């Protein structure tokens, strides 16, 4: 019995959705499993809040193009002692809400036509499906990275899927605004107060990792650490992930003694014992409960380019700052750094929809992929009304420029 063409399409849509959640992209590596609704975190149909990326699936089951998430603030202050009266001394429950929008994006590819197909033994329709699937994985990787970093940056390559911010469709492609890191989550190398003061000598170093550990210990707005499945059973403490560019990794190696570097390699090896998680695959270091890894693509600024930087005010208002040397941006990730909301298409029970149609009087076939999602860094207000990033902290440094630059 043959399967109707429409059923095959639906099956492929579902398979594409499953594939997108299984592949080892940044989004999937940093996302946990589904969690129940709780009052101490994002109050939605979501994955657990102990990972940097939180998937929110409310719009898969209800109409709308925007989802709200809530956080209830903890209470502080002294107790009431003895027979002192409680009236007028209560702590009021406070909470904050933010929203994230979703939108449809589409990509179309053509199989090349009848004569092109005769020149090869490949099934060009299947090739087109594979190419468009790989294209989406790259889109997902890049949009996740730029939202986390708080900027698109000025670096370009022939693998770009997301254009520069000057592109007329840039804001549509990113769907939600890219939020520059809040003032207290932005570290600038060399002890500089402003990004335009960074010079070529302010490179990534072992000292920066030590400073980050101190900042995490002293901050008034603590970052929620990462807790991986089965980590507690292995006796591991919560930790953070630090993603750095290849040149920052080189500078870190140069700043560390052989003994210090070997110790960080050994600590990463010991840390992954007792449970298996792909975050610990490949080259990585561990220091002060911070796992250091090289990111998939560098994000940064060429000398003379500008970037939005948050001021030290309640609303995290931004101003444009021009850099005077090449800057690379790295990021420290804790729990709840980025929210990804997904929706589903009409008549398709999936975030993705694949369609095929004959064109040019049947001479060629077009295959299109549609997806419905939205991403944004998670930013909330504390009890004093200050906006802050919940699970991310960026570090901007100069880098060593090799002979190939």
């Amino acid at each position: 019995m043959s399967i109707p063409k429409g059923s095959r399409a639906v099956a492929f849509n579902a398979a594409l959705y499953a594939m997108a959640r299984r592949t080892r992209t940044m989004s999937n590596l940093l996302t946990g499993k589904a969690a129940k609704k709780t009052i101490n975190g994002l109050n939605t149909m979501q994955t657990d809040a102990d990972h940097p990326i939180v998937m929110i699936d409310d719009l898969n089951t209800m109409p709308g193009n925007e989802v709200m998430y809530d956080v209830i603030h903890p209470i502080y202050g002294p107790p009431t002692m003895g027979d002192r009266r409680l009236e007028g001394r209560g702590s009021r429950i406070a909470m904050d809400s933010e929203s994230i929008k979703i939108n449809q994006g589409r990509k179309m590819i053509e199989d090349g036509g009848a004569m092109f197909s005769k020149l090869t033994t490949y099934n060009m329709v299947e090739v087109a499906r594979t190419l468009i699937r790989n294209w989406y994985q790259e889109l997902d990787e890049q949009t996740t990275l730029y939202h986390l970093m708080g900027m698109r940056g000025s670096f370009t390559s022939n693998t770009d899927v997301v254009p520069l911010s000057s592109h007329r469709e840039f804001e549509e492609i990113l769907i939600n605004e890219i939020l520059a890191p809040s003032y207290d989550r932005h570290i600038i190398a060399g002890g500089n107060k402003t990004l335009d003061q960074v010079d070529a000598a302010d490179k990534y170093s072992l000292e920066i990792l030590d400073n980050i550990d101190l900042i995490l210990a002293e901050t008034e707005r603590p970052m929620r650490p990462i807790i991986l499945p089965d980590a507690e059973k292995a006796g591991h403490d919560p930790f953070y992930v630090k993603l750095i560019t290849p040149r920052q990794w080189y500078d870190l190696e140069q700043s560390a003694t052989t003994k210090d570097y070997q110790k960080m390699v050994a600590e990463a090896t010991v840390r992954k014992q007792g449970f298996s998680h792909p975050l610990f695959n490949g080259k990585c270091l561990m220091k002060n409960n911070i796992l250091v890894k090289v990111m998939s693509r560098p994000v940064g600024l060429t000398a003379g380019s500008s970037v939005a930087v948050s001021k030290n005010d309640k609303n995290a208002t931004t101003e444009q700052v021009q850099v005077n040397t090449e800057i690379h941006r790295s990021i420290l990730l804790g729990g709840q750094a980025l929210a990804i909301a997904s929706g589903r298409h009409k008549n398709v029970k999936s975030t993705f929809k694949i369609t095929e149609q004959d064109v040019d009087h049947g001479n060629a076939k077009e295959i299109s992929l549609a997806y419905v999602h939205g991403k944004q860094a998670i930013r909330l207000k504390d009890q004093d009304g200050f906006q802050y990033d919940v699970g991310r902290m960026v570090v901007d440094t100069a880098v060593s420029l090799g002979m190939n630059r």
Side-chain angles (χ1 to χ4, degrees), residues 225-226 228 237-241 271 279-280 286 289-291 333:
I226 299 169
L228 296 178
D237 295 327
F239 71 109
Y240 302 89
V241 171
R271 188 57 183 262
L279 264 178
F280 287 89
M286 195 92 190
N289 274 336
I290 297 174
L291 177 69
L333 296 173

Side-chain angles (χ1 to χ4, degrees), residues 13 287 297:
N13 293 335
K287 182 174 176 59
R297 60 191 293 122

Side-chain angles (χ1 to χ4, degrees), residues 79-87 89:
T80 299
M81 305 302 295
D83 292 329
R84 197 181 287 274
R85 297 187 67 83
L86 278 172
E87 284 79 1
R89 295 170 60 90

Side-chain angles (χ1 to χ4, degrees), residues 180-209:
S182 55
Y183 182 84
D184 62 339
R185 299 292 202 238
H186 189 180
I187 300 173
I188 300 173
N192 298 293
K193 294 182 178 180
T194 59
L195 198 54
D196 57 353
Q197 295 176 342
V198 176
D199 60 38
D202 297 324
K203 300 181 179 69
Y204 205 97
S205 66
L206 197 61
E207 182 182 6
I208 288 179
L209 282 177

Side-chain angles (χ1 to χ4, degrees), residues 80 85-86 146 167 331 344 378 403:
T80 299
R85 297 187 67 83
L86 278 172
Y146 297 144
H167 191 280
I331 186 167
R344 69 178 184 180
I378 299 176
M403 294 178 62

Side-chain angles (χ1 to χ4, degrees), residues 41-320:
L42 301 178
N43 189 22
T44 57
M45 295 172 58
Q46 60 165 74
T47 55
D48 73 72
D50 292 325
H51 285 67
I53 295 179
V54 180
M55 297 279 190
I56 304 173
D57 293 330
D58 292 62
L59 296 178
N60 281 331
T61 57
M62 62 180 67
N65 69 341
E66 191 171 9
V67 63
M68 301 292 296
Y69 54 87
D70 307 318
V71 167
I72 298 178
H73 298 297
I75 58 172
Y76 299 102
T80 299
M81 305 302 295
D83 292 329
R84 197 181 287 274
R85 297 187 67 83
L86 278 172
E87 284 79 1
R89 295 170 60 90
S91 296
R92 185 181 296 274
I93 294 178
M95 64 184 298
D96 187 42
S97 298
E98 292 294 338
S99 64
I100 180 171
K101 294 180 180 178
I102 64 172
N103 201 355
Q104 173 184 250
R106 294 187 293 171
K107 183 70 172 179
M108 188 270 289
I109 189 170
E110 188 179 307
D111 69 356
M115 290 307 299
F116 184 79
S117 297
K118 287 184 68 66
L119 298 176
T120 179
T121 58
Y122 293 112
N123 183 329
M124 297 312 297
V125 173
E126 292 302 321
V127 169
R129 283 182 171 185
T130 300
L131 288 174
I132 209 165
R133 180 186 65 188
N134 293 344
W135 171 87
Y136 176 79
Q137 291 180 20
E138 191 61 38
L139 173 76
D140 179 56
E141 191 86 353
Q142 292 182 28
T143 53
T144 292
L145 186 60
Y146 297 144
H147 272 294
L148 283 172
M149 289 292 180
M151 70 175 185
R152 165 60 176 85
S154 56
F155 293 174
T156 60
S157 77
N158 58 8
T159 62
D160 287 347
V161 173
V162 177
L164 293 173
S165 58
S166 57
H167 191 280
R168 65 182 182 277
E169 297 176 10
F170 176 79
E171 292 182 358
E172 293 181 39
I173 294 170
L174 273 294
I175 303 173
N176 293 281
E177 178 187 2
I178 289 185
L179 299 176
S182 55
Y183 182 84
D184 62 339
R185 299 292 202 238
H186 189 180
I187 300 173
I188 300 173
N192 298 293
K193 294 182 178 180
T194 59
L195 198 54
D196 57 353
Q197 295 176 342
V198 176
D199 60 38
D202 297 324
K203 300 181 179 69
Y204 205 97
S205 66
L206 197 61
E207 182 182 6
I208 288 179
L209 282 177
D210 289 328
N211 289 341
I212 291 173
D213 187 53
L214 181 61
I215 292 170
L216 289 172
E218 294 182 342
T219 179
E220 294 182 6
R221 305 174 184 91
M223 281 180 58
R224 182 172 183 150
I226 299 169
I227 303 177
L228 296 178
D230 299 324
E232 291 181 345
K233 294 180 182 178
H236 295 317
D237 295 327
F239 71 109
Y240 302 89
V241 171
K242 189 74 166 64
L243 301 178
I244 64 178
T245 71
R247 289 183 179 272
Q248 286 177 324
W249 182 283
Y250 171 81
D251 290 333
L252 175 61
E253 285 182 311
Q254 297 304 305
S255 74
T257 65
T258 301
K259 181 179 179 181
D260 287 334
Y261 189 81
Q262 290 178 344
K263 182 179 179 182
M264 290 188 291
V265 172
E267 287 184 5
T269 301
V270 171
R271 188 57 183 262
K272 67 181 178 182
Q273 293 176 354
F275 74 105
S276 176
H277 194 281
L279 264 178
F280 287 89
N281 292 343
K283 187 167 64 173
C284 55
L285 306 172
M286 195 92 190
K287 182 174 176 59
N288 302 329
N289 274 336
I290 297 174
L291 177 69
V292 184
K293 292 182 65 69
V294 176
M295 68 181 71
S296 58
R297 60 191 293 122
V299 178
L301 301 160
T302 53
S305 56
S306 298
V307 65
V309 175
S310 293
K311 299 178 182 179
N312 187 18
D313 57 29
K314 282 190 172 184
N315 296 320
T317 54
T318 62
E319 61 182 346
Q320 291 290 319

